[in-house]
Amino acid sequence: CFAELISNMVKSFRVSDLQTLLASMGRSKSGLKQDLVGRALRLVQTEYSPELLKNVRQLYETRFPKSSAWLAARRPESVPVNYPALNSSPRGTAQGTDYLNGIPKPAAPPAAEVKLVPLPFYHNLETLLPPTELIAQNSEKLQESQCVFELTPGQVEQIRNSSELRPGMKSVQVVLRICYTDSIGVQEDQYPPNIAVKVNQSYCHVPGYYPSNKPGVEPRRPCRPVNITPWLHLSTVTNRVTITWGNFGKRYSVAVYLVRVFTSGELFNQLKHCSVESPDRCRERIQDKLRFDPESEIATTGLRVSLICPLVKMRLGVPCRVLTCAHLQCFDAVFFLQMNEKKPTWTCPVCDKPAPFELLTIDGLLSEILKETPEDVEEIEYLTDGSWRPIRDEKEKERERENSRTPDYPVVDICVPEANGHSPAHSGTNQTGKPGSGGASAGTGGTSAGSGGGVVVDLTLDDSSDEEGGGGAEDSEDTDDSQDSPAPKRGRYDYDKDLVTAY
C-alpha cells in the first residue's frame, strides 16, 4: 500500500527532518521525537495532499539519495488514478506515462527551486545566473564546477556609472552567492569546504575565518556574497567562473546577481525615515507592560531602562530596538548597523534573539528623553501612567545623604603657632603643670629661654653636671614645689612634650 510506504518514510526521518516537514505544513515542531513522529503520521493520514507528498519525498531522497531507484521500482504500473488537483486531463498508460498514485512520474528529478535570503546591504537588480547545483563529476573529494554568463551593455553601463563606496569599489557589483541546495524555506549563504573562486583565470578574494577568543571554539567563516566585479570582462564577452569545492556529502548551489550595495549610513537613513515608533505608541507599550494583572502575585510599579548602549558602553545616540523583542531596553542604531556591516550577525545585543533589519525601529519616546536629560543621568524608570523619572547614581545619592546629615560646626585651626614659636598645646603649660606665659623660663639648670625665642634644651647634661653647676639649691626648691603641685600630665609617650620640644 502506498500510504504504508509514506508512513515508513516518515518513521525513518530524523528530528530535524520531522521538524522541517511539520513547519512546511504549518504544524508545531516542538516536542520529543515520538511526539513529532505521531504528529507527522496523523498529518499523512488526514491531509493527503500533493504538497505533503512532495515534501516527504524530497526529505527522504535528501537523506537516502540511493533509494530513488528503489522508489521507482515500487511505483505501480497499473491503470492510473485520476487526480484532478494536478492533472485536469487524465492520460492513459498507452501513452507511456508512468504514474505514482495519480501523479505523473517525471523523466528526471526536477531541479530544486532554491531561494536565497535577502540581505539588507545588497539590493538585487538582476539575476545573471539563477541558483544552480554544483554537481560532482567523480568520487574525488576536491571538485571543480564552472558556470558562464554574459553582461548586457546596459548592465555594463550601470557598473561603470555607479558611485564608489571607496577607491576601487563600485556601489553596483556582480556578486557570487553559494548556499545549501534545499527547496524548503529560504537559504542563508554557506560556503562549501576548501572553496576557491577563479574568475577568467584569476583567483578572487574569498572572506577568511574570524579568529575565536574562546578556548575550544573553532574559528568561524563569515559567509557573505563574493564580489567578482574587478575580474570580469565589462563587455559582452563571456565570463567564466570556476569554483573549487570540497565534496563531503552536502549539496550546494551557486548563483550570480547584479546588486546595489548600501552602506551603514544609507541603511540608517532608511531606518530614520521609514521606521520610527511614535512617543504615544511607546507609552501605550509601557502601560501594557505595567498594567496590573490580578493573576500575578507581584505588582510591577516601574521598569528601569539604561541610557547606556550595551554594544559600546556609551550614552545612546539613536535608541533602537526590535519589534519582536519583549524588553524596552534599546541599543544604538548607528553602532549596530556599523557592526553588522563589518560582521553580519543581526542579533539583538540585549536578548540575543534575531534582529533583522526589517524589524528594527527607533524609539521615539526614548529619543525625547535623551534630549531632556543631562549627560550624567545614565538610567530612567518608566512608571505605570507612561511617565518617567531619572534614576540618579547610588554614589551620588549617598553623597547627598551624607551632606544633609553633617552639622555645621565652627572650624578651629589648632596648628597655628603662637608668637613665641610654640603651638598652643605646648605653650599653655609649664613643667609644673601650671599655666604660664610663653616666654617664661622652664626646665632645669641647662635650660634657658629668651624673651621672644623658643626654648633651648641641652640634652647632654645629666644630674651630676647639675650639681656641679650649683643648681642644688634650685633643685631642692623645685622638689619642695613639686610636692605641693600635681604631677604633670603625660600623653601616649613616656616623656614630657614641653621638655623635648626644641626650635
Side-chain angles (χ1 to χ4, degrees), residues 431-495:
Q431 183 184 358
T432 59
K434 297 178 183 181
S437 61
S441 174
T444 55
T447 304
S448 61
S451 58
V455 180
V456 179
V457 181
D458 188 357
L459 299 179
T460 61
L461 298 177
D462 54 9
D463 294 342
S464 59
S465 60
D466 290 340
E467 294 177 358
E468 294 175 358
E474 293 181 2
D475 290 342
S476 61
E477 291 178 1
D478 291 341
T479 304
D480 295 338
D481 294 338
S482 62
Q483 293 177 358
D484 299 334
S485 61
K489 296 182 179 179
R490 297 181 182 271
R492 69 176 66 179
Y493 305 101
D494 294 332
Y495 52 81

Side-chain angles (χ1 to χ4, degrees), residues 97-236:
T97 304
D98 196 357
Y99 282 83
L100 175 60
N101 197 26
I103 304 176
K105 183 186 75 172
E113 184 181 357
V114 179
K115 295 181 180 180
L116 283 155
V117 63
L119 301 176
F121 289 99
Y122 298 86
H123 173 62
N124 285 353
L125 300 177
E126 294 184 49
T127 301
L128 304 179
L129 178 70
T132 306
E133 185 173 357
L134 299 175
I135 304 299
Q137 303 298 325
N138 47 49
S139 59
E140 297 293 331
K141 293 301 181 183
L142 205 59
Q143 299 287 328
E144 275 194 1
S145 301
Q146 291 187 353
C147 58
V148 295
F149 62 93
E150 296 177 358
L151 295 174
T152 64
Q155 294 168 350
V156 173
E157 288 299 317
Q158 274 186 292
I159 298 174
R160 286 178 174 172
N161 297 333
S162 62
S163 58
E164 288 190 344
L165 299 175
R166 57 177 180 264
M169 179 176 289
K170 296 286 188 177
S171 58
V172 176
Q173 302 175 359
V174 177
V175 297
L176 180 78
R177 299 184 66 180
I178 304 177
C179 66
Y180 288 133
T181 302
D182 193 346
S183 61
I184 301 177
V186 293
Q187 303 300 314
E188 296 183 352
D189 293 69
Q190 185 65 49
Y191 296 157
N194 306 324
I195 182 175
V197 179
K198 185 168 61 175
V199 181
N200 296 327
Q201 307 303 319
S202 299
Y203 284 97
C204 66
H205 172 71
V206 178
Y209 287 89
Y210 285 143
S212 177
N213 297 328
K214 299 180 180 179
V217 177
E218 295 183 359
R220 190 177 63 86
R221 172 174 245 167
C223 298
R224 59 173 65 188
V226 181
N227 180 21
I228 61 175
T229 313
W231 298 274
L232 293 178
H233 299 305
L234 295 182
S235 62
T236 56

Side-chain angles (χ1 to χ4, degrees), residues 29 48 54 67 129 141 156 161 235 271 358 369 377 434 450 503:
K29 59 179 182 179
Y48 203 66
K54 177 183 175 182
S67 62
L129 178 70
K141 293 301 181 183
V156 173
N161 297 333
S235 62
L271 184 67
E358 56 270 14
I369 294 173
V377 176
K434 297 178 183 181
Y503 293 90

Side-chain angles (χ1 to χ4, degrees), residues 220-263:
R220 190 177 63 86
R221 172 174 245 167
C223 298
R224 59 173 65 188
V226 181
N227 180 21
I228 61 175
T229 313
W231 298 274
L232 293 178
H233 299 305
L234 295 182
S235 62
T236 56
V237 178
T238 300
N239 292 284
R240 184 178 301 275
V241 179
T242 304
I243 302 169
T244 305
W245 54 286
N247 181 23
F248 294 96
K250 293 197 175 183
R251 300 161 60 193
Y252 295 90
S253 293
V254 59
V256 181
Y257 298 98
L258 182 70
V259 299
R260 164 79 162 85
V261 182
F262 295 117
T263 63

Side-chain angles (χ1 to χ4, degrees), residues 299-344:
T300 305
T301 59
L303 289 173
R304 291 192 173 189
V305 172
S306 175
L307 302 184
I308 303 300
C309 175
L311 285 171
V312 292
K313 307 304 179 184
M314 295 171 58
R315 186 178 172 89
L316 290 168
V318 183
C320 177
R321 52 185 171 77
V322 187
L323 289 173
T324 54
C325 290
H327 54 80
L328 298 175
Q329 179 63 51
C330 294
F331 47 87
D332 193 273
V334 176
F335 288 115
F336 182 75
L337 293 176
Q338 288 177 352
M339 295 177 71
N340 280 280
E341 184 179 19
K342 296 180 179 180
K343 183 180 177 181

